[in-house]
């Protein structure tokens, strides 16, 4: 049996105090099955070059971590990954800040990852690289002589060629992606965008049937692997959290009012400023709801070292202040905006208590909160999901109320429709979405990707077959 090796920028180290999120649970259980290895950044920066990885073994899984030099980290992570690739891939050109030094640091940190990982690899490993921080890693492992199947999964959207081409080093980025054996995307839109880029750089003849792409002598497979959630795990967390005092106190404080919940990382792609405006439009358009609904938005600051994230926090505080200043009463606050973290189980309890889940990103690879909201509901009396059409999750959760997050009026109508939806329709929509979630949960997502990597083991034979046909 092959051993699975996962590589990601951040890894979820097993700690007694912190329960891992759904993605970490999915990856850890896949790693446990094969006595696998998870390699990544330790979460610490240092003044010196990275030493040998620190290795911890828990439940048969090895966790190997390295520190990154402070300056490299600033340029690679805050800089290239989060000020160039993140905005570009989310179609926010305005947020992009390209500097060559950042590109160099990105290459350097990826090389360090490859150099530190390569000695830990074994002859039967399958290697699975995660996300936009590590696109060059596959090529760099190949340069160090690694022959085993290597796959890459992109958690965020992939842009069309007209957007990608804005990046000065877009051709290198695309070539790097073709060094993998399997390249996975969240949705068909992302895969189509990837094809548009491949066609631009290598010609239409590079795209063969069944997701195969041929570049020179190499054949890789590109496919859609929509990420799912741990449906049973979320249901258990959400049910148990009902008796937790923090969830009870929140529910009691509503004094019987309807609850609308939003849970996001504080990020401009999540559309929070637009969401707050839509809520204000809703209160203006449907004044009967004034005093009768509470909107709780949880959004702790992420990537605090990137300027755009500090700015968005200020904009949101101002927007919440404006709405509250205008509509609040002595015993009612329309928006409760919480800039802090809660444990995952508590969040699931909050989502279960909500009548409406408001998930309106301006662009999102998948958006697991939308899926968690559905999984957390009481199936006999479920809340309604209002979901952005521009989230990957909208491709699967077609029974949600789908909205354009820029359309204040459309979102406000959807909130009203959600609040007044009769129980049979709520149940029907919820059941349809739950079925989708169960069919494609986090375990089947990891299984499908690992199977694709296993198939790539025979890629030598396939390559020969394609060469013979050509
Ligand atoms: P994120 O942009 O972080 O992930 P999302 O998918 O919504 O976004 O959330 C991932 C996880 O973080 C979920 O389990 C969620 O509960 C948790 N989370 C979100 N907000 C939180 C908060 N305020 N406090 C605590 N936990 C919170 C990236 C991509 C997404 C893609 C995921 C997984 O941007 O498009 O869905 O990876 O592939």
């Amino acid at each position: 049996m092959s051993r699975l090796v996962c590589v990601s920028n951040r890894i979820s180290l097993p700690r007694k105090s912190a329960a891992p999120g759904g993605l970490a649970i999915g990856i850890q259980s896949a790693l446990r099955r094969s006595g696998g290895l998870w390699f990544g950044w330790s979460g610490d920066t240092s003044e010196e070059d990275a030493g040998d990885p620190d290795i911890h073994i828990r439940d048969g899984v090895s966790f190997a971590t390295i520190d990154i030099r402070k300056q490299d980290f600033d340029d690679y992570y805050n800089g290239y990954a989060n000020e160039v690739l993140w905005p570009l891939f989310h179609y926010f050109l305005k947020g992009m800040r390209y500097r060559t030094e950042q590109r160099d640091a990105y290459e350097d940190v990826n090389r360090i990852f490859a150099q530190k990982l390569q000695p830990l690899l074994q002859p039967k490993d399958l290697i699975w690289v995660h996300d936009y921080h590590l696109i060059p890693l596959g090529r760099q492992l190949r340069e160090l002589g690694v022959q085993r199947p290597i796959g890459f999964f992109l958690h965020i959207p992939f842009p069309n060629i007209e957007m990608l081409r804005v990046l000065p080093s877009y051709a290198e980025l695309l070539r790097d992606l073709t060094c993998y054996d399997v390249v996975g995307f969240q949705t068909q839109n992302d895969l189509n965008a990837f094809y548009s880029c491949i066609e631009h750089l290598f010609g239409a003849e590079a795209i063969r049937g069944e997701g195969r792409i041929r570049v020179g002598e190499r054949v890789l497979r590109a496919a859609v692997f929509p990420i799912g959630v741990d449906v049973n795990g979320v249901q258990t967390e959400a049910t148990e959290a009902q008796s937790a005092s923090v969830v009870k106190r929140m529910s009691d404080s509503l004094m019987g009012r309807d609850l609308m919940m939003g849970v996001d990382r504080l990020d401009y792609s999540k559309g929070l400023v637009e969401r707050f405006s839509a809520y204000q439009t809703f209160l203006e358009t449907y004044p009967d709801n004034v005093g009768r609904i509470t909107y709780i938005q949880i959004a702790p600051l992420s990537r605090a070292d990137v300027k755009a994230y500090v700015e968005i926090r200020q904009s949101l505080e101002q927007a919440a202040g404006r709405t509250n200043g205008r509509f609040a009463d002595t015993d009612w606050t329309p928006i409760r905006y919480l800039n802090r973290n809660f444990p995952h189980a508590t969040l699931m309890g909050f989502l279960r208590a909500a009548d409406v889940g408001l998930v309106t990103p301006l662009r999102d690879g998948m958006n697991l909160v939308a899926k968690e909201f559905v999984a957390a509901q009481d199936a006999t009396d479920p809340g309604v999901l209002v979901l952005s059409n521009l989230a990957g999750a909208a491709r699967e959760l077609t029974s949600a109320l789908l909205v354009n997050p820029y359309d204040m009026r459309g979102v406000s109508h959807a909130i009203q429709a959600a609040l007044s939806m009769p129980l049979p329709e709520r149940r029907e929509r919820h059941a349809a979405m739950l079925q989708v979630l169960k069919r494609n949960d986090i375990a089947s997502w990891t299984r499908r990707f690992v199977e694709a990597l296993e198939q790539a083991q025979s890629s030598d034979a396939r390559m020969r077959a394609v060469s013979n046909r050509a």
Side-chain angles (χ1 to χ4, degrees), residues 155 186 264-265 270 300 344 347 364-368 372:
H155 288 259
Q186 299 271 28
D264 303 79
R265 259 185 326 98
K270 302 293 181 186
H344 194 258
L347 289 177
D364 216 326
M366 178 53 67
N367 196 299
L368 290 181
E372 288 168 341

Side-chain angles (χ1 to χ4, degrees), residues 41-51 66-74:
W41 174 48
S42 65
D44 292 323
T45 55
S46 69
E47 294 308 321
E48 283 136 45
D49 290 344
I66 54 168
D67 295 349
I68 300 177
R69 282 173 69 103
K70 171 96 178 62
Q71 184 62 47
D72 287 346
F73 181 77
D74 283 346

Side-chain angles (χ1 to χ4, degrees), residues 256-289:
R257 295 184 178 98
D258 287 330
L259 171 64
M260 182 160 75
M261 278 297 307
V263 175
D264 303 79
R265 259 185 326 98
L266 187 52
D267 188 294
Y268 48 86
S269 68
K270 302 293 181 186
L272 293 165
V273 174
E274 292 75 6
R275 197 182 301 176
F276 280 18
S277 299
Y279 180 59
Q280 174 148 335
T281 306
F282 163 75
L283 293 176
E284 287 161 1
T285 316
Y286 299 101
D288 284 357
N289 290 290

Side-chain angles (χ1 to χ4, degrees), residues 164-181:
L164 189 71
R165 202 146 96 78
V166 168
L167 186 69
S169 49
Y170 81 95
E172 285 85 344
L173 181 141
L174 279 173
R175 283 205 186 87
D176 283 352
L177 282 171
T178 63
C179 291
Y180 290 95
D181 296 291

Side-chain angles (χ1 to χ4, degrees), residues 12 96 165 182 184 188 236 351 412 416:
S12 177
M96 185 175 138
R165 202 146 96 78
V182 179
Q188 187 65 40
T236 307
L351 291 180
S412 93
Q416 178 64 12

Side-chain angles (χ1 to χ4, degrees), residues 72-90:
D72 287 346
F73 181 77
D74 283 346
D75 287 340
Y76 141 82
Y77 181 81
N78 294 326
Y80 199 71
N82 287 320
E83 284 188 340
V84 179
L85 297 181
W86 177 273
L88 182 72
F89 282 29
H90 285 85

